[in-house]
Amino acid sequence: MNGLIKIVALGMILLFISGFILIAVVLMAYSPGKPKPFFNENGNIIKGNISEKSFLTINGVKQGMFIKSKDDTHPVLLLLHGGMPEYFLSKKYPTGLEDYFTVVWWEQRCSRISYHSGTSPTSITLEQMVADASEVTKYLCKRFHKEKIYLMGHSGGSFIGIQVAGKPPENSPAYIRVAQMSNQLQSERLAYSYMLAQYHKKEIKPCNQNWRRSP
């Protein structure tokens, strides 16, 4: 009797584990992280569209990207994000860029889907980020059969983009800058002086005192 109970219990445990694995596989396949394809006005999937979440090993680190276009023969546009990846904003604030480009939302090392706990923080240097961006550019040129691709850098990504664009061999016919960073130290000094003046003008003493202690 005890043997039968053990067999039944073992069977239930195996059934539970199998069910859990099946659910996990289904959730991974159809999770919100999987981009939806593009449809035409008749509700049919547009032929030649691309909408994917993919991963690539770049300079030894697995990194992710979202690639979206209504026509995969469009010019390729690589987006270099700033302090945080921006793809998640595109659902609420669509850019419309997919109508004209094959848009690549690359998430840089240690950012969101490219995060790995084993990646050393010391590897996140400007030189490394530029090298990573250059490798992604070469990969996209090869994959989409393009001699060159477009680069768009936003905020912190613009500091990387302007260096990638001028790095030989030049693989970009154009570099598009949004909130371009140039002399960041001077920018921080100007912002600090402005905020300090505003606190003083509006007599916000706690903020004024705190800022003066942290020049």
Short mmCIF file of all heavy atoms in Angstrom, two decimals, residues 50-96:
data_model
loop_
_atom_site.label_atom_id
_atom_site.label_comp_id
_atom_site.label_asym_id
_atom_site.label_seq_id
_atom_site.Cartn_x
_atom_site.Cartn_y
_atom_site.Cartn_z
N ILE A 50 9.14 42.76 -40.65
CA ILE A 50 9.97 42.09 -39.65
C ILE A 50 9.65 42.69 -38.29
O ILE A 50 9.53 43.90 -38.14
CB ILE A 50 11.48 42.23 -39.98
CG1 ILE A 50 12.32 41.49 -38.92
CG2 ILE A 50 11.90 43.68 -40.08
CD1 ILE A 50 13.78 41.39 -39.31
N SER A 51 9.47 41.81 -37.31
CA SER A 51 9.17 42.24 -35.95
C SER A 51 9.68 41.16 -35.01
O SER A 51 9.00 40.16 -34.77
CB SER A 51 7.65 42.44 -35.78
OG SER A 51 7.34 42.99 -34.53
N GLU A 52 10.87 41.35 -34.52
CA GLU A 52 11.50 40.28 -33.75
C GLU A 52 12.29 40.79 -32.56
O GLU A 52 12.72 41.94 -32.51
CB GLU A 52 12.42 39.46 -34.65
CG GLU A 52 13.68 40.19 -35.08
CD GLU A 52 14.65 39.31 -35.85
OE1 GLU A 52 14.21 38.59 -36.76
OE2 GLU A 52 15.85 39.35 -35.54
N LYS A 53 12.45 39.88 -31.62
CA LYS A 53 13.31 40.09 -30.46
C LYS A 53 14.43 39.07 -30.60
O LYS A 53 14.18 37.87 -30.65
CB LYS A 53 12.51 39.85 -29.18
CG LYS A 53 13.31 39.87 -27.89
CD LYS A 53 12.38 39.52 -26.73
CE LYS A 53 13.08 39.47 -25.41
NZ LYS A 53 12.14 39.10 -24.31
N SER A 54 15.65 39.54 -30.73
CA SER A 54 16.75 38.62 -30.98
C SER A 54 17.95 38.94 -30.10
O SER A 54 18.04 40.02 -29.52
CB SER A 54 17.17 38.66 -32.46
OG SER A 54 17.55 39.96 -32.83
N PHE A 55 18.84 37.96 -30.03
CA PHE A 55 20.03 38.10 -29.20
C PHE A 55 21.27 37.80 -30.04
O PHE A 55 21.24 36.98 -30.96
CB PHE A 55 19.97 37.17 -27.99
CG PHE A 55 18.91 37.54 -27.01
CD1 PHE A 55 17.61 37.07 -27.15
CD2 PHE A 55 19.18 38.40 -25.95
CE1 PHE A 55 16.62 37.42 -26.25
CE2 PHE A 55 18.20 38.76 -25.05
CZ PHE A 55 16.92 38.26 -25.20
N LEU A 56 22.34 38.47 -29.68
CA LEU A 56 23.59 38.34 -30.41
C LEU A 56 24.75 38.44 -29.42
O LEU A 56 24.70 39.27 -28.50
CB LEU A 56 23.69 39.47 -31.45
CG LEU A 56 24.93 39.56 -32.31
CD1 LEU A 56 24.97 38.40 -33.29
CD2 LEU A 56 24.94 40.89 -33.09
N THR A 57 25.74 37.61 -29.58
CA THR A 57 26.93 37.71 -28.73
C THR A 57 27.85 38.77 -29.32
O THR A 57 28.35 38.63 -30.44
CB THR A 57 27.67 36.36 -28.63
OG1 THR A 57 26.79 35.40 -28.04
CG2 THR A 57 28.91 36.50 -27.75
N ILE A 58 28.03 39.84 -28.57
CA ILE A 58 28.82 40.98 -29.03
C ILE A 58 30.03 41.15 -28.12
O ILE A 58 29.88 41.42 -26.93
CB ILE A 58 27.98 42.27 -29.02
CG1 ILE A 58 26.70 42.07 -29.84
CG2 ILE A 58 28.79 43.45 -29.55
CD1 ILE A 58 25.68 43.16 -29.62
N ASN A 59 31.19 40.95 -28.68
CA ASN A 59 32.44 41.06 -27.90
C ASN A 59 32.37 40.24 -26.61
O ASN A 59 32.74 40.72 -25.52
CB ASN A 59 32.76 42.53 -27.61
CG ASN A 59 33.12 43.30 -28.88
OD1 ASN A 59 33.80 42.78 -29.75
ND2 ASN A 59 32.67 44.54 -28.97
N GLY A 60 31.86 39.02 -26.74
CA GLY A 60 31.83 38.08 -25.63
C GLY A 60 30.63 38.18 -24.70
O GLY A 60 30.53 37.40 -23.76
N VAL A 61 29.72 39.12 -24.93
CA VAL A 61 28.56 39.31 -24.05
C VAL A 61 27.27 39.19 -24.87
O VAL A 61 27.13 39.85 -25.91
CB VAL A 61 28.60 40.68 -23.35
CG1 VAL A 61 27.34 40.91 -22.53
CG2 VAL A 61 29.83 40.77 -22.44
N LYS A 62 26.34 38.37 -24.40
CA LYS A 62 25.05 38.20 -25.08
C LYS A 62 24.21 39.46 -24.87
O LYS A 62 23.95 39.88 -23.75
CB LYS A 62 24.32 36.98 -24.50
CG LYS A 62 23.00 36.66 -25.20
CD LYS A 62 22.35 35.44 -24.57
CE LYS A 62 21.01 35.12 -25.23
NZ LYS A 62 20.36 33.96 -24.56
N GLN A 63 23.79 40.06 -25.99
CA GLN A 63 23.03 41.30 -25.93
C GLN A 63 21.79 41.20 -26.81
O GLN A 63 21.80 40.52 -27.84
CB GLN A 63 23.91 42.49 -26.36
CG GLN A 63 25.14 42.63 -25.46
CD GLN A 63 26.02 43.81 -25.86
OE1 GLN A 63 25.53 44.89 -26.18
NE2 GLN A 63 27.33 43.61 -25.81
N GLY A 64 20.72 41.88 -26.39
CA GLY A 64 19.45 41.77 -27.08
C GLY A 64 19.08 43.01 -27.87
O GLY A 64 19.58 44.10 -27.61
N MET A 65 18.17 42.82 -28.80
CA MET A 65 17.68 43.93 -29.61
C MET A 65 16.29 43.59 -30.16
O MET A 65 15.92 42.42 -30.29
CB MET A 65 18.64 44.23 -30.75
CG MET A 65 18.83 43.09 -31.73
SD MET A 65 20.15 43.42 -32.94
CE MET A 65 21.61 43.24 -31.90
N PHE A 66 15.53 44.63 -30.44
CA PHE A 66 14.24 44.50 -31.09
C PHE A 66 14.38 45.10 -32.48
O PHE A 66 14.87 46.23 -32.63
CB PHE A 66 13.15 45.23 -30.32
CG PHE A 66 12.89 44.66 -28.95
CD1 PHE A 66 13.61 45.10 -27.85
CD2 PHE A 66 11.93 43.67 -28.76
CE1 PHE A 66 13.39 44.57 -26.59
CE2 PHE A 66 11.69 43.14 -27.51
CZ PHE A 66 12.42 43.59 -26.42
N ILE A 67 13.97 44.35 -33.50
CA ILE A 67 14.08 44.80 -34.88
C ILE A 67 12.67 44.87 -35.48
O ILE A 67 11.96 43.88 -35.49
CB ILE A 67 14.97 43.87 -35.71
CG1 ILE A 67 16.34 43.72 -35.05
CG2 ILE A 67 15.12 44.39 -37.14
CD1 ILE A 67 17.27 42.74 -35.75
N LYS A 68 12.30 46.05 -36.00
CA LYS A 68 10.94 46.24 -36.50
C LYS A 68 10.96 47.04 -37.80
O LYS A 68 11.65 48.06 -37.90
CB LYS A 68 10.08 46.95 -35.46
CG LYS A 68 9.90 46.16 -34.16
CD LYS A 68 9.00 46.88 -33.19
CE LYS A 68 7.56 46.93 -33.65
NZ LYS A 68 6.83 45.67 -33.44
N SER A 69 10.18 46.55 -38.78
CA SER A 69 10.04 47.26 -40.04
C SER A 69 8.85 46.70 -40.81
O SER A 69 8.56 45.50 -40.73
CB SER A 69 11.31 47.10 -40.88
OG SER A 69 11.17 47.80 -42.11
N LYS A 70 8.19 47.55 -41.55
CA LYS A 70 7.09 47.09 -42.41
C LYS A 70 7.62 46.52 -43.72
O LYS A 70 6.88 45.90 -44.48
CB LYS A 70 6.11 48.24 -42.68
CG LYS A 70 5.33 48.65 -41.43
CD LYS A 70 4.30 49.72 -41.73
CE LYS A 70 3.52 50.07 -40.47
NZ LYS A 70 2.51 51.12 -40.73
N ASP A 71 8.90 46.72 -43.96
CA ASP A 71 9.54 46.20 -45.17
C ASP A 71 11.02 46.00 -44.87
O ASP A 71 11.74 46.98 -44.65
CB ASP A 71 9.35 47.18 -46.33
CG ASP A 71 9.91 46.65 -47.64
OD1 ASP A 71 10.70 45.69 -47.62
OD2 ASP A 71 9.55 47.21 -48.70
N ASP A 72 11.46 44.76 -44.84
CA ASP A 72 12.85 44.50 -44.42
C ASP A 72 13.90 44.90 -45.45
O ASP A 72 15.10 44.70 -45.23
CB ASP A 72 13.03 43.04 -44.01
CG ASP A 72 12.76 42.06 -45.15
OD1 ASP A 72 12.53 42.51 -46.29
OD2 ASP A 72 12.77 40.84 -44.91
N THR A 73 13.44 45.49 -46.58
CA THR A 73 14.40 46.03 -47.54
C THR A 73 14.66 47.52 -47.30
O THR A 73 15.48 48.14 -47.99
CB THR A 73 13.91 45.84 -49.00
OG1 THR A 73 12.71 46.61 -49.19
CG2 THR A 73 13.63 44.38 -49.29
N HIS A 74 13.95 48.10 -46.33
CA HIS A 74 14.15 49.51 -46.00
C HIS A 74 15.59 49.76 -45.54
O HIS A 74 16.27 48.83 -45.08
CB HIS A 74 13.22 49.93 -44.85
CG HIS A 74 11.81 50.24 -45.30
ND1 HIS A 74 11.50 50.73 -46.54
CD2 HIS A 74 10.63 50.15 -44.63
CE1 HIS A 74 10.20 50.93 -46.63
NE2 HIS A 74 9.64 50.58 -45.50
N PRO A 75 16.05 51.01 -45.58
CA PRO A 75 17.34 51.35 -44.97
C PRO A 75 17.31 50.99 -43.48
O PRO A 75 16.25 51.05 -42.85
CB PRO A 75 17.44 52.87 -45.17
CG PRO A 75 16.52 53.18 -46.29
CD PRO A 75 15.41 52.19 -46.21
N VAL A 76 18.45 50.61 -42.95
CA VAL A 76 18.53 50.18 -41.54
C VAL A 76 18.90 51.38 -40.66
O VAL A 76 19.82 52.14 -40.99
CB VAL A 76 19.56 49.05 -41.37
CG1 VAL A 76 19.68 48.66 -39.90
CG2 VAL A 76 19.15 47.84 -42.21
N LEU A 77 18.19 51.52 -39.55
CA LEU A 77 18.44 52.59 -38.58
C LEU A 77 18.73 51.97 -37.22
O LEU A 77 17.87 51.32 -36.63
CB LEU A 77 17.22 53.51 -38.48
CG LEU A 77 17.28 54.61 -37.40
CD1 LEU A 77 18.40 55.60 -37.70
CD2 LEU A 77 15.93 55.33 -37.31
N LEU A 78 19.95 52.13 -36.74
CA LEU A 78 20.35 51.63 -35.42
C LEU A 78 20.19 52.73 -34.40
O LEU A 78 20.80 53.80 -34.52
CB LEU A 78 21.80 51.14 -35.45
CG LEU A 78 22.42 50.74 -34.11
CD1 LEU A 78 21.63 49.61 -33.44
CD2 LEU A 78 23.89 50.35 -34.29
N LEU A 79 19.37 52.48 -33.38
CA LEU A 79 19.12 53.46 -32.32
C LEU A 79 20.04 53.18 -31.13
O LEU A 79 20.07 52.06 -30.61
CB LEU A 79 17.66 53.40 -31.88
CG LEU A 79 16.62 53.69 -32.97
CD1 LEU A 79 15.21 53.60 -32.40
CD2 LEU A 79 16.83 55.07 -33.57
N LEU A 80 20.75 54.20 -30.72
CA LEU A 80 21.65 54.10 -29.56
C LEU A 80 21.00 54.86 -28.41
O LEU A 80 20.93 56.10 -28.42
CB LEU A 80 23.01 54.70 -29.89
CG LEU A 80 23.73 54.11 -31.11
CD1 LEU A 80 24.98 54.90 -31.44
CD2 LEU A 80 24.07 52.64 -30.86
N HIS A 81 20.50 54.12 -27.43
CA HIS A 81 19.77 54.76 -26.34
C HIS A 81 20.71 55.44 -25.34
O HIS A 81 21.92 55.20 -25.33
CB HIS A 81 18.88 53.75 -25.62
CG HIS A 81 19.62 52.65 -24.93
ND1 HIS A 81 20.25 52.83 -23.72
CD2 HIS A 81 19.81 51.33 -25.25
CE1 HIS A 81 20.80 51.69 -23.33
NE2 HIS A 81 20.55 50.76 -24.24
N GLY A 82 20.11 56.27 -24.50
CA GLY A 82 20.88 56.99 -23.49
C GLY A 82 20.93 56.22 -22.19
O GLY A 82 21.31 55.05 -22.17
N GLY A 83 20.48 56.84 -21.12
CA GLY A 83 20.58 56.23 -19.80
C GLY A 83 19.77 54.96 -19.63
O GLY A 83 20.07 54.14 -18.77
N MET A 84 18.73 54.79 -20.42
CA MET A 84 17.94 53.56 -20.33
C MET A 84 17.43 53.19 -21.72
O MET A 84 17.27 54.06 -22.58
CB MET A 84 16.75 53.74 -19.38
CG MET A 84 15.71 54.73 -19.88
SD MET A 84 14.29 54.83 -18.78
CE MET A 84 13.24 55.97 -19.70
N PRO A 85 17.19 51.90 -21.97
CA PRO A 85 16.61 51.49 -23.25
C PRO A 85 15.24 52.13 -23.44
O PRO A 85 14.52 52.36 -22.47
CB PRO A 85 16.49 49.97 -23.11
CG PRO A 85 17.50 49.60 -22.07
CD PRO A 85 17.51 50.75 -21.11
N GLU A 86 14.87 52.41 -24.68
CA GLU A 86 13.66 53.18 -24.94
C GLU A 86 12.60 52.41 -25.73
O GLU A 86 11.53 52.95 -26.01
CB GLU A 86 14.04 54.47 -25.69
CG GLU A 86 14.94 55.36 -24.84
CD GLU A 86 15.78 56.33 -25.66
OE1 GLU A 86 15.94 56.10 -26.88
OE2 GLU A 86 16.26 57.32 -25.09
N TYR A 87 12.88 51.17 -26.08
CA TYR A 87 11.91 50.41 -26.89
C TYR A 87 10.56 50.30 -26.19
O TYR A 87 9.51 50.37 -26.84
CB TYR A 87 12.46 49.01 -27.19
CG TYR A 87 11.43 48.11 -27.84
CD1 TYR A 87 11.08 48.28 -29.18
CD2 TYR A 87 10.79 47.11 -27.11
CE1 TYR A 87 10.11 47.48 -29.77
CE2 TYR A 87 9.83 46.31 -27.70
CZ TYR A 87 9.49 46.50 -29.03
OH TYR A 87 8.52 45.71 -29.61
N PHE A 88 10.57 50.12 -24.87
CA PHE A 88 9.32 49.91 -24.14
C PHE A 88 8.38 51.11 -24.26
O PHE A 88 7.17 51.00 -24.04
CB PHE A 88 9.59 49.60 -22.67
CG PHE A 88 9.98 50.81 -21.85
CD1 PHE A 88 9.04 51.45 -21.06
CD2 PHE A 88 11.28 51.30 -21.86
CE1 PHE A 88 9.38 52.56 -20.29
CE2 PHE A 88 11.63 52.40 -21.10
CZ PHE A 88 10.68 53.04 -20.32
N LEU A 89 8.92 52.28 -24.63
CA LEU A 89 8.09 53.47 -24.78
C LEU A 89 7.38 53.51 -26.14
O LEU A 89 6.42 54.26 -26.31
CB LEU A 89 8.95 54.72 -24.65
CG LEU A 89 9.57 54.99 -23.26
CD1 LEU A 89 10.58 56.12 -23.37
CD2 LEU A 89 8.49 55.32 -22.24
N SER A 90 7.85 52.70 -27.09
CA SER A 90 7.35 52.82 -28.46
C SER A 90 5.90 52.34 -28.62
O SER A 90 5.24 52.71 -29.58
CB SER A 90 8.25 52.04 -29.42
OG SER A 90 8.25 50.65 -29.12
N LYS A 91 5.42 51.52 -27.69
CA LYS A 91 4.03 51.08 -27.78
C LYS A 91 3.07 52.22 -27.45
O LYS A 91 2.06 52.43 -28.14
CB LYS A 91 3.79 49.91 -26.82
CG LYS A 91 2.38 49.32 -26.94
CD LYS A 91 2.22 48.09 -26.06
CE LYS A 91 0.82 47.50 -26.21
NZ LYS A 91 0.64 46.28 -25.36
N LYS A 92 3.39 52.98 -26.41
CA LYS A 92 2.54 54.09 -26.02
C LYS A 92 2.81 55.32 -26.88
O LYS A 92 1.91 56.12 -27.15
CB LYS A 92 2.77 54.43 -24.54
CG LYS A 92 1.80 55.48 -24.00
CD LYS A 92 1.94 55.65 -22.50
CE LYS A 92 0.94 56.68 -21.96
NZ LYS A 92 1.07 56.87 -20.49
N TYR A 93 4.08 55.46 -27.29
CA TYR A 93 4.47 56.61 -28.11
C TYR A 93 5.11 56.11 -29.40
O TYR A 93 6.34 56.16 -29.56
CB TYR A 93 5.44 57.51 -27.35
CG TYR A 93 4.94 57.95 -25.99
CD1 TYR A 93 5.39 57.36 -24.83
CD2 TYR A 93 3.99 58.97 -25.89
CE1 TYR A 93 4.93 57.75 -23.58
CE2 TYR A 93 3.52 59.38 -24.65
CZ TYR A 93 3.99 58.77 -23.50
OH TYR A 93 3.52 59.16 -22.27
N PRO A 94 4.31 55.62 -30.34
CA PRO A 94 4.88 55.08 -31.59
C PRO A 94 5.62 56.15 -32.39
O PRO A 94 5.20 57.30 -32.45
CB PRO A 94 3.63 54.58 -32.35
CG PRO A 94 2.48 55.33 -31.76
CD PRO A 94 2.83 55.56 -30.32
N THR A 95 6.74 55.75 -32.96
CA THR A 95 7.57 56.69 -33.70
C THR A 95 7.20 56.79 -35.18
O THR A 95 7.45 57.81 -35.81
CB THR A 95 9.05 56.28 -33.62
OG1 THR A 95 9.21 55.01 -34.28
CG2 THR A 95 9.49 56.13 -32.16
N GLY A 96 6.64 55.72 -35.73
CA GLY A 96 6.33 55.70 -37.16
C GLY A 96 7.56 55.47 -38.02
O GLY A 96 7.47 55.43 -39.25
#
